[in-house]
Amino acid sequence: MGRRRSAAAAITLVCALAALASPQAMSGAYAAPAPPGPSSSPSAVPPPPVELPPGAGQSGTPGAPGKKSLDDIRIELDALYEKAASATDAYNLADEQYQKLSAEVSTLTQDLVRGQARIDELNKTAGAAARAQYRGGGLPPEAQLVLTDDPGLFLDGVGRLQESQRATHRLIAELTRAQEDLKTYAQDAGTEWAKLEVSRAKKEKAKEEITKQIAAAEKIEAGLEKDDLARLARLQDDAALKAQSAWLGSGALKDINRGASAQGKQAIAFATAQIGKPYVWGAEGPSSYDCSGLTSEAWSAAGRTIPRTSQEQWRQLPRVPVADMRPGDLIIYFEDASHVAMYVGDGTIVHAPRPGRNVTLAGAGTMRILGVVRPDK
């Protein structure tokens, strides 16, 4: 049995490495970290710089004197896309808060409308009472009661007078409460509106940062010639393969074939069904996703609601040691928890990598692991 498991693990590793070698299969944006130990985060260990031959860099491309090597460019692109990922998480959190506050402001606005309608209704009731008094000759009920000579009418009038007084007191009290409620609703609406504006500003700032970082990366890539882009892709794949191999060989996982929970299987089925769909920052399906949009929707499909952003997933969900993770768990990457992927077993993840890439399978050790969380723990 042990020999068969060792052979299966070896075959799995070979298959994983072969899949990762394809430019279509790898994200490339988060390549070249050293693998983490069971309880520590790794630091990047890029491959040796690869300089282009003399004369290869034309029109500002790598290889010209004083220009960066392709490996330098790879590292720079990684950094830009990591910053974009961090800004995307900030955007998603601000958007989540914005949606929540919008709903609260909408509810308060409806309360204001209902409160004003109630006050109008009470004012009409008070006006009707005043008109009835006017029709009675302008005399208050007490005076009319004193002037009557009929004992039966007097007793009947006493009862009606007492009820009228109670009704008047109730009307005044209800009108007072309605006015106080309306004032409270207005104050709360003003406070929530101010918060809404702050959240809106955070969204716009994060959006600007995302656009800035992606534009910078795209400008670098646009300045490369076709052959340079192909070599850059190979460098990214090589770095990812090296990192994944080192991670698997480090013993970071106790059992590479550990099974998933029932809900974990459902989450994995959803996530892997999205393979090939494009990464779009802020997206949560069904046609495109960002990293945390994919993981949150996958677990929602499995019947478990989890936070929308990777940073909140890291902050709120139960943590498990890297060595003990099982399929369906979420791996959080980088020091600021700006990227998340779903572990699917055999040392592999499914994730939405970065702008310009599609949801794909990749090696779990190709990025700097911060930790692991388990939504159904």
Side-chain angles (χ1 to χ4, degrees):
M1 177 64 71
R3 183 175 301 169
R4 287 198 298 273
R5 289 178 61 83
S6 298
I11 291 171
T12 298
L13 175 58
V14 171
C15 292
L17 295 179
L20 292 172
S22 169
Q24 298 297 324
M26 289 304 304
S27 70
Y30 307 109
S39 60
S40 62
S41 298
S43 57
V45 182
V50 178
E51 298 288 350
L52 293 177
Q58 303 295 330
S59 302
T61 59
K67 298 298 180 180
K68 296 177 180 177
S69 71
L70 276 179
D71 204 53
D72 290 336
I73 290 175
R74 176 186 65 79
I75 294 171
E76 184 176 0
L77 286 173
D78 287 352
L80 289 171
Y81 281 118
E82 282 186 33
K83 289 178 182 178
S86 182
T88 297
D89 218 49
Y91 175 89
N92 288 337
L93 181 58
D95 183 62
E96 189 175 40
Q97 293 173 340
Y98 180 82
Q99 298 301 329
K100 179 181 177 181
L101 290 170
S102 293
E104 290 176 358
V105 168
S106 177
T107 299
L108 287 169
T109 300
Q110 294 172 11
D111 290 340
L112 282 169
V113 172
R114 285 193 294 266
Q116 186 60 58
R118 182 57 180 157
I119 288 175
D120 293 342
E121 180 184 347
L122 292 171
N123 281 329
K124 287 180 182 178
T125 301
R131 288 191 295 273
Q133 180 177 325
Y134 176 78
R135 287 193 297 271
L139 293 174
E142 295 87 345
Q144 296 179 32
L145 182 61
V146 170
L147 293 175
T148 184
D149 294 329
D150 189 324
L153 290 177
F154 180 84
L155 293 175
D156 183 58
V158 169
R160 285 189 286 107
L161 176 60
Q162 291 175 339
E163 178 58 32
S164 175
Q165 289 174 337
R166 286 194 293 269
T168 300
H169 290 156
R170 287 195 298 269
L171 178 63
I172 293 173
E174 188 171 355
L175 182 60
T176 300
R177 284 196 302 271
Q179 290 172 333
E180 290 175 349
D181 288 344
L182 193 65
K183 182 179 179 181
T184 300
Y185 294 152
Q187 291 174 341
D188 290 346
T191 300
E192 295 305 306
W193 187 263
K195 292 179 181 177
L196 189 65
E197 289 304 307
V198 170
S199 182
R200 191 201 308 274
K202 287 181 179 179
K203 276 183 61 177
E204 290 304 314
K205 183 178 180 180
K207 182 178 179 179
E208 291 175 3
E209 182 64 18
I210 295 167
T211 303
K212 174 184 174 183
Q213 300 300 336
I214 293 177
E218 290 176 342
K219 182 177 180 180
I220 292 173
E221 292 172 325
L224 298 176
E225 296 181 356
K226 186 176 180 180
D227 289 345
D228 293 334
L229 287 171
R231 292 190 63 196
L232 178 62
R234 287 195 297 272
L235 281 174
Q236 291 171 333
D237 290 345
D238 290 345
L241 281 169
K242 181 178 179 180
Q244 175 70 355
S245 298
W247 184 73
L248 288 173
S250 70
L253 284 176
K254 289 181 180 178
D255 184 358
I256 199 171
N257 296 314
R258 187 177 280 112
S261 66
Q263 280 188 306
K265 290 178 181 178
Q266 291 178 314
I268 292 170
F270 179 94
T272 53
Q274 313 313 310
I275 290 175
K277 294 182 179 180
Y279 176 105
V280 174
W281 59 266
E284 47 190 331
S287 58
S288 59
Y289 296 88
D290 62 17
C291 67
S292 57
L294 177 65
T295 55
S296 61
E297 287 300 303
W299 270 101
S300 177
R304 182 65 62 98
T305 299
I306 66 173
R308 168 64 177 85
T309 70
S310 59
Q311 292 175 344
E312 288 303 295
Q313 288 171 8
W314 173 242
R315 188 176 72 86
Q316 296 185 34
L317 296 179
R319 300 179 186 181
V320 296
V322 173
D324 296 332
M325 70 177 172
R326 69 187 185 195
D329 288 347
L330 304 182
I331 305 179
I332 309 297
Y333 292 96
F334 308 119
E335 287 76 8
D336 61 353
S338 59
H339 189 68
V340 61
M342 180 178 292
Y343 183 61
V344 297
D346 295 331
T348 304
I349 56 171
V350 59
H351 71 148
R354 66 164 174 83
R357 302 294 172 88
N358 297 330
V359 176
T360 187
L361 293 173
T366 57
M367 296 170 281
R368 298 189 301 276
I369 295 177
L370 177 63
V372 177
V373 295
R374 179 167 295 166
D376 58 342
K377 184 176 180 180

